[in-house]
Amino acid sequence: MKTSLAGTPHGVQLLHDPLRNKGTAFTEVERDALGLRGLLPPHVHSQDEQMARFLASLRGIADPLEKFVALCSLHDRNEALFFRVVCDNVDEIMPLIYTPTVGLACQRYGHIFQRPRGMFIGVNDRGRIADILRNWPLKAGIIVVTDGERILGLGDQGANGMGIPVGKLSLYTACAGVNPALCLPVTLDMGTNNETLLNDPYYVGLRRHRVTGPAYDELIDEFITAAREVFPDVIIQFEDFANHNAFRLLERYRNRICTFNDDIQGTASVAVAGVLSALRVKGTKLADEKFLFLGAGEAATGIADLLVAAMVAQGVDAAEARQHCWLVDSKGLVVKSREGLAAQKLPYAHEHAQVADFLSALKALQPTAIIGVAAVGGTFTPEVLRAMADGNQRPIVFALSNPTSKAECTAEQAYQGTDGRALFACGSPFLPVQYGGKTLVPRQGNNCYIFPGVGLGAIACGATRITDEMFLAAAHTLASQVTAADLDQGSLFPPLANIREVSARIAVAVAEVAYQRGLAAKPRSDDLRAQVQAHVFDPHYPAYA
Ligand code: NAD
């Protein structure tokens, strides 16, 4: 591809522009035309050679956090090379730029800080947020925003939570090809109640406790209004907000702007895709299943809501569909007689006697599927797995809690505990397991199968809203990418290496729903796949003509 020189900075300025820099890969012609002669060592390397050099050096580093820092500095100096490295080595690099390494990076953010990325907006910025957003030099198409209060399973990380929007947006580009120039990570610094951080001299955020109540809501509202004013078509993804704000904010904004919450809706979509794959093995329909969740938070109620939507789409009455989903939280089975239940749990508070613990609930309800999302490790005990195996020919067992130490059970335990019959999916990666002479390959229900494609589709059609119907379409599309060979080896998701194709198909499905529902601002072309593809960033260097 040839790119015009118009608007291209020259000389040192170009070498310091990560969106355009090619480093030693600038050709002889480009070095003359762009004022680079003498500013680079003489030998011209290809991008492939640069990638090989970077990977060799990365693989020589033992500590994952140091690898993270090396990747960040590549990202800061040469985005195309960074995304070539990520895209061509997604299995190896994803755990370094996202979970689990990103969690550690957030905890150590102030200590490993080198250059800012994204925007920090604090409680002291009330009244001038639009002006601050105008400092961003590009036209943002997607904002991932966090307030740092519930970073992964690590709790309040305050402004250090910035690692998450940065990592998530890298995945938009790596997994779906969203143009990095459109990506704006934002951290809203509402203060922190993490005393360790407040006492850390290298902490990057405000030295104050969290703001709450109307002051919190007003800041969020000003931010949303300002973001829409400065970047009118922007998609805003809420990320790692605490439970008590996540549901509220989603409800407040989902029908007003183009927004979604990945912890709730993205998780739901990937989990439903896993269930759909499991049903292909069983030869059953959703309405034949009974789901018992361990956990009743963002992930559990998000998944339950989308399962209900999927059943309704198959003609099941909504009230009847809800009866197929049961929740257990830290106080036991969620039942109608319990008082003070959070709003998101109420649809699943069915008529039933109180039950104190998960195993008793399982024995009382006899589910066909258990979905662990309580972030309490080891809760799918041998007794739980035995009960599932006794009651089901092919029990569905999803241990989705992260990180690995919080997983309800390992893949090995799931297969051992069910005589190899479990249809298993996990939130953390597990290695293949040998069972009964067969190699079973558990795959991770990773949200990165879903949100990058949803974002790409929304950009391609100019979506004005992101709806649950789109997440359901994404789930069906993801499940359709699982082959018979995948299912045969126990994999309920496609290999991660196929992620770009999966994302492109999800983008088409999402755009299709947007057009059907009148939620797309851009004209529709005859070839929706080509329309999506036109928005895909290619990490190979352009030639500057
Ligand atoms: P959350 O804080 O919103 O919800 C946690 C829920 O677990 C709450 O309802 C809480 O009451 C319940 N709980 C806590 N202790 C319990 C106990 N001892 N017994 C029963 N219930 C208990 O968190 P979340 O966003 O829903 O995430 C939950 C877990 O799911 C995390 O580990 C997260 O990493 C994981 N997750 C995985 C994926 C994925 O695999 N794709 C996606 C999202 C979240």
Side-chain angles (χ1 to χ4, degrees), residues 150 153 243 247 263 267 270 294-300 328-330 345 372-376 400-403 406 426-427 445-447:
R150 198 234 55 184
N243 216 307
F247 289 105
D263 305 307
T267 303
V270 76
L294 179 60
E298 297 178 37
V328 172
D329 66 11
S330 51
K345 300 181 191 178
V373 272
V376 185
L400 296 182
S401 288
N402 279 315
K406 308 268 184 188
C426 39
N446 196 324
N447 290 31

PDB file of all heavy atoms in Angstrom, residues 150 153 243 247 263 267 270 294-300 328-330 345 372-376 400-403 406 426-427 445-447, ligand 1:
ATOM      1  N   ARG A 150     -12.633  -1.626  40.430  1.00  0.00           N
ATOM      2  CA  ARG A 150     -12.618  -3.097  40.523  1.00  0.00           C
ATOM      3  C   ARG A 150     -11.787  -3.634  39.362  1.00  0.00           C
ATOM      4  O   ARG A 150     -12.306  -4.126  38.367  1.00  0.00           O
ATOM      5  CB  ARG A 150     -14.050  -3.645  40.480  1.00  0.00           C
ATOM      6  CG  ARG A 150     -14.170  -5.058  40.992  1.00  0.00           C
ATOM      7  CD  ARG A 150     -14.832  -5.974  40.006  1.00  0.00           C
ATOM      8  NE  ARG A 150     -14.183  -5.968  38.701  1.00  0.00           N
ATOM      9  CZ  ARG A 150     -14.626  -6.629  37.645  1.00  0.00           C
ATOM     10  NH1 ARG A 150     -15.740  -7.307  37.690  1.00  0.00           N
ATOM     11  NH2 ARG A 150     -13.968  -6.598  36.477  1.00  0.00           N
ATOM     12  N   GLY A 153      -9.646  -9.071  39.412  1.00  0.00           N
ATOM     13  CA  GLY A 153     -10.050  -9.494  40.753  1.00  0.00           C
ATOM     14  C   GLY A 153      -9.222  -8.798  41.831  1.00  0.00           C
ATOM     15  O   GLY A 153      -9.155  -9.280  42.961  1.00  0.00           O
ATOM     16  N   ASN A 243     -19.285  -3.370  41.015  1.00  0.00           N
ATOM     17  CA  ASN A 243     -20.644  -3.855  40.888  1.00  0.00           C
ATOM     18  C   ASN A 243     -21.715  -2.783  41.107  1.00  0.00           C
ATOM     19  O   ASN A 243     -22.648  -2.644  40.317  1.00  0.00           O
ATOM     20  CB  ASN A 243     -20.770  -4.906  41.993  1.00  0.00           C
ATOM     21  CG  ASN A 243     -21.598  -6.041  41.591  1.00  0.00           C
ATOM     22  OD1 ASN A 243     -22.703  -5.806  41.161  1.00  0.00           O
ATOM     23  ND2 ASN A 243     -21.083  -7.248  41.705  1.00  0.00           N
ATOM     24  N   PHE A 247     -23.880  -1.781  36.968  1.00  0.00           N
ATOM     25  CA  PHE A 247     -25.247  -2.020  36.484  1.00  0.00           C
ATOM     26  C   PHE A 247     -25.999  -0.701  36.312  1.00  0.00           C
ATOM     27  O   PHE A 247     -26.693  -0.480  35.328  1.00  0.00           O
ATOM     28  CB  PHE A 247     -26.008  -2.925  37.471  1.00  0.00           C
ATOM     29  CG  PHE A 247     -25.520  -4.339  37.460  1.00  0.00           C
ATOM     30  CD1 PHE A 247     -24.728  -4.835  38.492  1.00  0.00           C
ATOM     31  CD2 PHE A 247     -25.850  -5.205  36.421  1.00  0.00           C
ATOM     32  CE1 PHE A 247     -24.271  -6.134  38.478  1.00  0.00           C
ATOM     33  CE2 PHE A 247     -25.397  -6.513  36.406  1.00  0.00           C
ATOM     34  CZ  PHE A 247     -24.602  -6.981  37.438  1.00  0.00           C
ATOM     35  N   ASP A 263     -17.780  -6.321  31.012  1.00  0.00           N
ATOM     36  CA  ASP A 263     -17.814  -7.276  32.132  1.00  0.00           C
ATOM     37  C   ASP A 263     -19.178  -7.956  32.223  1.00  0.00           C
ATOM     38  O   ASP A 263     -19.277  -9.102  32.656  1.00  0.00           O
ATOM     39  CB  ASP A 263     -17.505  -6.563  33.448  1.00  0.00           C
ATOM     40  CG  ASP A 263     -16.179  -5.822  33.368  1.00  0.00           C
ATOM     41  OD1 ASP A 263     -15.185  -6.451  32.998  1.00  0.00           O
ATOM     42  OD2 ASP A 263     -16.164  -4.602  33.642  1.00  0.00           O
ATOM     43  N   THR A 267     -18.968 -10.671  28.549  1.00  0.00           N
ATOM     44  CA  THR A 267     -18.872 -11.960  29.246  1.00  0.00           C
ATOM     45  C   THR A 267     -20.068 -12.832  28.897  1.00  0.00           C
ATOM     46  O   THR A 267     -19.932 -14.039  28.633  1.00  0.00           O
ATOM     47  CB  THR A 267     -18.853 -11.723  30.778  1.00  0.00           C
ATOM     48  OG1 THR A 267     -17.766 -10.868  31.081  1.00  0.00           O
ATOM     49  CG2 THR A 267     -18.727 -13.018  31.539  1.00  0.00           C
ATOM     50  N   VAL A 270     -19.756 -14.383  25.335  1.00  0.00           N
ATOM     51  CA  VAL A 270     -18.789 -15.476  25.163  1.00  0.00           C
ATOM     52  C   VAL A 270     -19.281 -16.726  25.901  1.00  0.00           C
ATOM     53  O   VAL A 270     -19.141 -17.857  25.399  1.00  0.00           O
ATOM     54  CB  VAL A 270     -17.366 -15.042  25.591  1.00  0.00           C
ATOM     55  CG1 VAL A 270     -17.175 -14.985  27.077  1.00  0.00           C
ATOM     56  CG2 VAL A 270     -16.318 -15.961  24.987  1.00  0.00           C
ATOM     57  N   LEU A 294     -22.838 -20.178  40.247  1.00  0.00           N
ATOM     58  CA  LEU A 294     -22.192 -19.873  41.522  1.00  0.00           C
ATOM     59  C   LEU A 294     -21.653 -18.455  41.380  1.00  0.00           C
ATOM     60  O   LEU A 294     -20.685 -18.213  40.643  1.00  0.00           O
ATOM     61  CB  LEU A 294     -21.067 -20.859  41.819  1.00  0.00           C
ATOM     62  CG  LEU A 294     -20.317 -20.587  43.128  1.00  0.00           C
ATOM     63  CD1 LEU A 294     -21.239 -20.654  44.333  1.00  0.00           C
ATOM     64  CD2 LEU A 294     -19.180 -21.593  43.320  1.00  0.00           C
ATOM     65  N   GLY A 295     -22.300 -17.514  42.060  1.00  0.00           N
ATOM     66  CA  GLY A 295     -22.014 -16.094  41.859  1.00  0.00           C
ATOM     67  C   GLY A 295     -23.262 -15.434  41.308  1.00  0.00           C
ATOM     68  O   GLY A 295     -24.050 -16.088  40.601  1.00  0.00           O
ATOM     69  N   ALA A 296     -23.466 -14.179  41.647  1.00  0.00           N
ATOM     70  CA  ALA A 296     -24.668 -13.476  41.194  1.00  0.00           C
ATOM     71  C   ALA A 296     -24.319 -12.021  40.895  1.00  0.00           C
ATOM     72  O   ALA A 296     -25.098 -11.113  41.147  1.00  0.00           O
ATOM     73  CB  ALA A 296     -25.761 -13.563  42.257  1.00  0.00           C
ATOM     74  N   GLY A 297     -23.111 -11.816  40.350  1.00  0.00           N
ATOM     75  CA  GLY A 297     -22.641 -10.456  40.077  1.00  0.00           C
ATOM     76  C   GLY A 297     -22.773 -10.097  38.609  1.00  0.00           C
ATOM     77  O   GLY A 297     -23.702 -10.533  37.926  1.00  0.00           O
ATOM     78  N   GLU A 298     -21.803  -9.305  38.124  1.00  0.00           N
ATOM     79  CA  GLU A 298     -21.877  -8.777  36.765  1.00  0.00           C
ATOM     80  C   GLU A 298     -21.869  -9.909  35.741  1.00  0.00           C
ATOM     81  O   GLU A 298     -22.658  -9.918  34.790  1.00  0.00           O
ATOM     82  CB  GLU A 298     -20.695  -7.819  36.514  1.00  0.00           C
ATOM     83  CG  GLU A 298     -20.738  -6.607  37.423  1.00  0.00           C
ATOM     84  CD  GLU A 298     -19.562  -5.660  37.239  1.00  0.00           C
ATOM     85  OE1 GLU A 298     -19.116  -5.469  36.101  1.00  0.00           O
ATOM     86  OE2 GLU A 298     -19.101  -5.102  38.251  1.00  0.00           O
ATOM     87  N   ALA A 299     -20.947 -10.862  35.933  1.00  0.00           N
ATOM     88  CA  ALA A 299     -20.840 -11.956  34.965  1.00  0.00           C
ATOM     89  C   ALA A 299     -22.093 -12.837  35.021  1.00  0.00           C
ATOM     90  O   ALA A 299     -22.725 -13.097  33.988  1.00  0.00           O
ATOM     91  CB  ALA A 299     -19.585 -12.779  35.253  1.00  0.00           C
ATOM     92  N   ALA A 300     -22.494 -13.276  36.228  1.00  0.00           N
ATOM     93  CA  ALA A 300     -23.605 -14.239  36.351  1.00  0.00           C
ATOM     94  C   ALA A 300     -24.908 -13.664  35.807  1.00  0.00           C
ATOM     95  O   ALA A 300     -25.574 -14.295  34.980  1.00  0.00           O
ATOM     96  CB  ALA A 300     -23.784 -14.640  37.818  1.00  0.00           C
ATOM     97  N   VAL A 328     -26.655 -18.721  42.938  1.00  0.00           N
ATOM     98  CA  VAL A 328     -26.220 -18.854  44.341  1.00  0.00           C
ATOM     99  C   VAL A 328     -25.210 -17.743  44.597  1.00  0.00           C
ATOM    100  O   VAL A 328     -24.239 -17.607  43.837  1.00  0.00           O
ATOM    101  CB  VAL A 328     -25.559 -20.224  44.601  1.00  0.00           C
ATOM    102  CG1 VAL A 328     -24.936 -20.274  45.999  1.00  0.00           C
ATOM    103  CG2 VAL A 328     -26.566 -21.358  44.439  1.00  0.00           C
ATOM    104  N   ASP A 329     -25.443 -16.927  45.606  1.00  0.00           N
ATOM    105  CA  ASP A 329     -24.453 -15.897  45.952  1.00  0.00           C
ATOM    106  C   ASP A 329     -23.852 -16.208  47.319  1.00  0.00           C
ATOM    107  O   ASP A 329     -24.038 -17.322  47.843  1.00  0.00           O
ATOM    108  CB  ASP A 329     -25.042 -14.488  45.862  1.00  0.00           C
ATOM    109  CG  ASP A 329     -26.133 -14.245  46.901  1.00  0.00           C
ATOM    110  OD1 ASP A 329     -26.294 -15.081  47.823  1.00  0.00           O
ATOM    111  OD2 ASP A 329     -26.824 -13.218  46.786  1.00  0.00           O
ATOM    112  N   SER A 330     -23.151 -15.251  47.911  1.00  0.00           N
ATOM    113  CA  SER A 330     -22.438 -15.540  49.163  1.00  0.00           C
ATOM    114  C   SER A 330     -23.401 -15.857  50.305  1.00  0.00           C
ATOM    115  O   SER A 330     -22.994 -16.436  51.320  1.00  0.00           O
ATOM    116  CB  SER A 330     -21.547 -14.352  49.539  1.00  0.00           C
ATOM    117  OG  SER A 330     -22.307 -13.177  49.516  1.00  0.00           O
ATOM    118  N   LYS A 345     -30.564  -9.207  40.522  1.00  0.00           N
ATOM    119  CA  LYS A 345     -30.819 -10.603  40.922  1.00  0.00           C
ATOM    120  C   LYS A 345     -32.318 -10.929  40.937  1.00  0.00           C
ATOM    121  O   LYS A 345     -32.693 -12.107  40.894  1.00  0.00           O
ATOM    122  CB  LYS A 345     -30.262 -10.852  42.334  1.00  0.00           C
ATOM    123  CG  LYS A 345     -28.767 -10.617  42.468  1.00  0.00           C
ATOM    124  CD  LYS A 345     -28.286 -10.915  43.888  1.00  0.00           C
ATOM    125  CE  LYS A 345     -26.858 -10.417  44.100  1.00  0.00           C
ATOM    126  NZ  LYS A 345     -26.347 -10.627  45.447  1.00  0.00           N
ATOM    127  N   GLY A 372     -19.492 -21.195  37.102  1.00  0.00           N
ATOM    128  CA  GLY A 372     -18.814 -20.595  38.254  1.00  0.00           C
ATOM    129  C   GLY A 372     -18.283 -19.228  37.932  1.00  0.00           C
ATOM    130  O   GLY A 372     -17.402 -19.076  37.076  1.00  0.00           O
ATOM    131  N   VAL A 373     -18.824 -18.199  38.605  1.00  0.00           N
ATOM    132  CA  VAL A 373     -18.375 -16.815  38.405  1.00  0.00           C
ATOM    133  C   VAL A 373     -18.434 -16.058  39.736  1.00  0.00           C
ATOM    134  O   VAL A 373     -18.937 -14.951  39.813  1.00  0.00           O
ATOM    135  CB  VAL A 373     -19.230 -16.084  37.326  1.00  0.00           C
ATOM    136  CG1 VAL A 373     -18.675 -16.294  35.930  1.00  0.00           C
ATOM    137  CG2 VAL A 373     -20.681 -16.474  37.399  1.00  0.00           C
ATOM    138  N   ALA A 374     -17.919 -16.699  40.788  1.00  0.00           N
ATOM    139  CA  ALA A 374     -17.952 -16.065  42.118  1.00  0.00           C
ATOM    140  C   ALA A 374     -16.560 -15.633  42.556  1.00  0.00           C
ATOM    141  O   ALA A 374     -16.418 -15.019  43.616  1.00  0.00           O
ATOM    142  CB  ALA A 374     -18.539 -17.030  43.146  1.00  0.00           C
ATOM    143  N   ALA A 375     -15.556 -15.957  41.773  1.00  0.00           N
ATOM    144  CA  ALA A 375     -14.167 -15.619  42.105  1.00  0.00           C
ATOM    145  C   ALA A 375     -13.733 -16.203  43.445  1.00  0.00           C
ATOM    146  O   ALA A 375     -13.028 -15.573  44.224  1.00  0.00           O
ATOM    147  CB  ALA A 375     -13.948 -14.103  42.065  1.00  0.00           C
ATOM    148  N   VAL A 376     -14.213 -17.433  43.733  1.00  0.00           N
ATOM    149  CA  VAL A 376     -13.757 -18.147  44.930  1.00  0.00           C
ATOM    150  C   VAL A 376     -13.179 -19.476  44.452  1.00  0.00           C
ATOM    151  O   VAL A 376     -13.909 -20.319  43.910  1.00  0.00           O
ATOM    152  CB  VAL A 376     -14.914 -18.394  45.939  1.00  0.00           C
ATOM    153  CG1 VAL A 376     -14.366 -19.035  47.208  1.00  0.00           C
ATOM    154  CG2 VAL A 376     -15.647 -17.100  46.262  1.00  0.00           C
ATOM    155  N   LEU A 400     -15.403 -20.215  35.289  1.00  0.00           N
ATOM    156  CA  LEU A 400     -14.997 -18.999  34.574  1.00  0.00           C
ATOM    157  C   LEU A 400     -14.224 -18.002  35.427  1.00  0.00           C
ATOM    158  O   LEU A 400     -13.727 -16.998  34.913  1.00  0.00           O
ATOM    159  CB  LEU A 400     -16.233 -18.305  33.973  1.00  0.00           C
ATOM    160  CG  LEU A 400     -16.981 -19.094  32.893  1.00  0.00           C
ATOM    161  CD1 LEU A 400     -18.153 -18.268  32.347  1.00  0.00           C
ATOM    162  CD2 LEU A 400     -16.063 -19.496  31.750  1.00  0.00           C
ATOM    163  N   SER A 401     -14.122 -18.243  36.730  1.00  0.00           N
ATOM    164  CA  SER A 401     -13.482 -17.217  37.567  1.00  0.00           C
ATOM    165  C   SER A 401     -11.989 -17.096  37.286  1.00  0.00           C
ATOM    166  O   SER A 401     -11.300 -18.071  37.012  1.00  0.00           O
ATOM    167  CB  SER A 401     -13.723 -17.507  39.046  1.00  0.00           C
ATOM    168  OG  SER A 401     -15.064 -17.237  39.355  1.00  0.00           O
ATOM    169  N   ASN A 402     -11.529 -15.862  37.360  1.00  0.00           N
ATOM    170  CA  ASN A 402     -10.132 -15.480  37.139  1.00  0.00           C
ATOM    171  C   ASN A 402      -9.562 -14.860  38.398  1.00  0.00           C
ATOM    172  O   ASN A 402     -10.318 -14.309  39.193  1.00  0.00           O
ATOM    173  CB  ASN A 402     -10.075 -14.403  36.042  1.00  0.00           C
ATOM    174  CG  ASN A 402     -10.149 -15.006  34.665  1.00  0.00           C
ATOM    175  OD1 ASN A 402      -9.495 -15.971  34.371  1.00  0.00           O
ATOM    176  ND2 ASN A 402     -10.964 -14.399  33.830  1.00  0.00           N
ATOM    177  N   PRO A 403      -8.239 -14.798  38.562  1.00  0.00           N
ATOM    178  CA  PRO A 403      -7.249 -15.535  37.780  1.00  0.00           C
ATOM    179  C   PRO A 403      -7.267 -17.033  38.138  1.00  0.00           C
ATOM    180  O   PRO A 403      -8.180 -17.490  38.847  1.00  0.00           O
ATOM    181  CB  PRO A 403      -5.939 -14.876  38.209  1.00  0.00           C
ATOM    182  CG  PRO A 403      -6.204 -14.377  39.600  1.00  0.00           C
ATOM    183  CD  PRO A 403      -7.651 -13.998  39.633  1.00  0.00           C
ATOM    184  N   LYS A 406      -8.378 -18.445  41.353  1.00  0.00           N
ATOM    185  CA  LYS A 406      -9.797 -18.297  41.724  1.00  0.00           C
ATOM    186  C   LYS A 406     -10.677 -19.259  40.939  1.00  0.00           C
ATOM    187  O   LYS A 406     -11.900 -19.294  41.151  1.00  0.00           O
ATOM    188  CB  LYS A 406     -10.276 -16.870  41.434  1.00  0.00           C
ATOM    189  CG  LYS A 406      -9.425 -15.775  42.021  1.00  0.00           C
ATOM    190  CD  LYS A 406      -9.929 -15.364  43.373  1.00  0.00           C
ATOM    191  CE  LYS A 406      -9.111 -14.190  43.871  1.00  0.00           C
ATOM    192  NZ  LYS A 406      -9.347 -13.810  45.205  1.00  0.00           N
ATOM    193  N   CYS A 426     -13.324 -22.623  30.556  1.00  0.00           N
ATOM    194  CA  CYS A 426     -12.626 -21.998  31.677  1.00  0.00           C
ATOM    195  C   CYS A 426     -12.422 -20.503  31.439  1.00  0.00           C
ATOM    196  O   CYS A 426     -12.452 -20.033  30.304  1.00  0.00           O
ATOM    197  CB  CYS A 426     -11.278 -22.685  31.894  1.00  0.00           C
ATOM    198  SG  CYS A 426     -10.436 -23.126  30.355  1.00  0.00           S
ATOM    199  N   GLY A 427     -12.206 -19.788  32.540  1.00  0.00           N
ATOM    200  CA  GLY A 427     -11.905 -18.367  32.453  1.00  0.00           C
ATOM    201  C   GLY A 427     -10.410 -18.120  32.360  1.00  0.00           C
ATOM    202  O   GLY A 427      -9.964 -17.118  31.808  1.00  0.00           O
ATOM    203  N   GLY A 445     -12.966 -19.268  27.725  1.00  0.00           N
ATOM    204  CA  GLY A 445     -14.062 -18.387  27.287  1.00  0.00           C
ATOM    205  C   GLY A 445     -13.615 -16.947  27.442  1.00  0.00           C
ATOM    206  O   GLY A 445     -14.059 -16.236  28.334  1.00  0.00           O
ATOM    207  N   ASN A 446     -12.745 -16.537  26.537  1.00  0.00           N
ATOM    208  CA  ASN A 446     -12.093 -15.235  26.666  1.00  0.00           C
ATOM    209  C   ASN A 446     -12.958 -14.143  26.015  1.00  0.00           C
ATOM    210  O   ASN A 446     -13.376 -14.294  24.865  1.00  0.00           O
ATOM    211  CB  ASN A 446     -10.728 -15.338  25.953  1.00  0.00           C
ATOM    212  CG  ASN A 446      -9.806 -14.217  26.321  1.00  0.00           C
ATOM    213  OD1 ASN A 446     -10.247 -13.091  26.515  1.00  0.00           O
ATOM    214  ND2 ASN A 446      -8.527 -14.521  26.404  1.00  0.00           N
ATOM    215  N   ASN A 447     -13.215 -13.056  26.754  1.00  0.00           N
ATOM    216  CA  ASN A 447     -14.036 -11.974  26.191  1.00  0.00           C
ATOM    217  C   ASN A 447     -13.453 -11.412  24.900  1.00  0.00           C
ATOM    218  O   ASN A 447     -14.168 -10.783  24.129  1.00  0.00           O
ATOM    219  CB  ASN A 447     -14.179 -10.827  27.201  1.00  0.00           C
ATOM    220  CG  ASN A 447     -15.034 -11.207  28.379  1.00  0.00           C
ATOM    221  OD1 ASN A 447     -15.056 -12.368  28.757  1.00  0.00           O
ATOM    222  ND2 ASN A 447     -15.730 -10.245  28.968  1.00  0.00           N
TER     223      ASN A 447
HETATM  224  P1  NAD B   1     -18.802  -9.564  40.820  1.00  0.00           P
HETATM  225  O1  NAD B   1     -18.068  -9.011  41.954  1.00  0.00           O
HETATM  226  O2  NAD B   1     -19.770  -8.687  40.087  1.00  0.00           O
HETATM  227  O3  NAD B   1     -19.643 -10.858  41.326  1.00  0.00           O
HETATM  228  C1  NAD B   1     -19.160 -11.854  42.193  1.00  0.00           C
HETATM  229  C2  NAD B   1     -20.362 -12.592  42.751  1.00  0.00           C
HETATM  230  O4  NAD B   1     -19.902 -13.714  43.476  1.00  0.00           O
HETATM  231  C3  NAD B   1     -21.214 -11.766  43.704  1.00  0.00           C
HETATM  232  O5  NAD B   1     -22.561 -11.970  43.394  1.00  0.00           O
HETATM  233  C4  NAD B   1     -20.927 -12.382  45.082  1.00  0.00           C
HETATM  234  O6  NAD B   1     -22.047 -12.339  45.936  1.00  0.00           O
HETATM  235  C5  NAD B   1     -20.647 -13.815  44.687  1.00  0.00           C
HETATM  236  N1  NAD B   1     -19.858 -14.521  45.711  1.00  0.00           N
HETATM  237  C6  NAD B   1     -18.773 -14.087  46.385  1.00  0.00           C
HETATM  238  N2  NAD B   1     -18.353 -15.031  47.257  1.00  0.00           N
HETATM  239  C7  NAD B   1     -19.186 -16.073  47.109  1.00  0.00           C
HETATM  240  C8  NAD B   1     -19.280 -17.356  47.718  1.00  0.00           C
HETATM  241  N3  NAD B   1     -18.417 -17.738  48.649  1.00  0.00           N
HETATM  242  N4  NAD B   1     -20.258 -18.179  47.309  1.00  0.00           N
HETATM  243  C9  NAD B   1     -21.136 -17.804  46.364  1.00  0.00           C
HETATM  244  N5  NAD B   1     -21.100 -16.611  45.763  1.00  0.00           N
HETATM  245  C10 NAD B   1     -20.141 -15.753  46.118  1.00  0.00           C
HETATM  246  O7  NAD B   1     -17.734 -10.147  39.828  1.00  0.00           O
HETATM  247  P2  NAD B   1     -17.934 -10.541  38.280  1.00  0.00           P
HETATM  248  O8  NAD B   1     -17.597  -9.392  37.404  1.00  0.00           O
HETATM  249  O9  NAD B   1     -19.278 -11.173  38.123  1.00  0.00           O
HETATM  250  O10 NAD B   1     -16.778 -11.616  38.075  1.00  0.00           O
HETATM  251  C11 NAD B   1     -16.796 -12.826  38.780  1.00  0.00           C
HETATM  252  C12 NAD B   1     -15.678 -13.732  38.308  1.00  0.00           C
HETATM  253  O11 NAD B   1     -15.867 -14.069  36.949  1.00  0.00           O
HETATM  254  C13 NAD B   1     -14.285 -13.096  38.392  1.00  0.00           C
HETATM  255  O12 NAD B   1     -13.366 -14.044  38.838  1.00  0.00           O
HETATM  256  C14 NAD B   1     -13.987 -12.735  36.966  1.00  0.00           C
HETATM  257  O13 NAD B   1     -12.594 -12.765  36.707  1.00  0.00           O
HETATM  258  C15 NAD B   1     -14.683 -13.837  36.231  1.00  0.00           C
HETATM  259  N6  NAD B   1     -15.010 -13.456  34.844  1.00  0.00           N
HETATM  260  C16 NAD B   1     -14.625 -14.288  33.839  1.00  0.00           C
HETATM  261  C17 NAD B   1     -14.891 -13.958  32.529  1.00  0.00           C
HETATM  262  C18 NAD B   1     -14.500 -14.884  31.428  1.00  0.00           C
HETATM  263  O14 NAD B   1     -14.066 -15.962  31.678  1.00  0.00           O
HETATM  264  N7  NAD B   1     -14.648 -14.512  30.185  1.00  0.00           N
HETATM  265  C19 NAD B   1     -15.514 -12.751  32.238  1.00  0.00           C
HETATM  266  C20 NAD B   1     -15.906 -11.923  33.282  1.00  0.00           C
HETATM  267  C21 NAD B   1     -15.650 -12.288  34.596  1.00  0.00           C
END
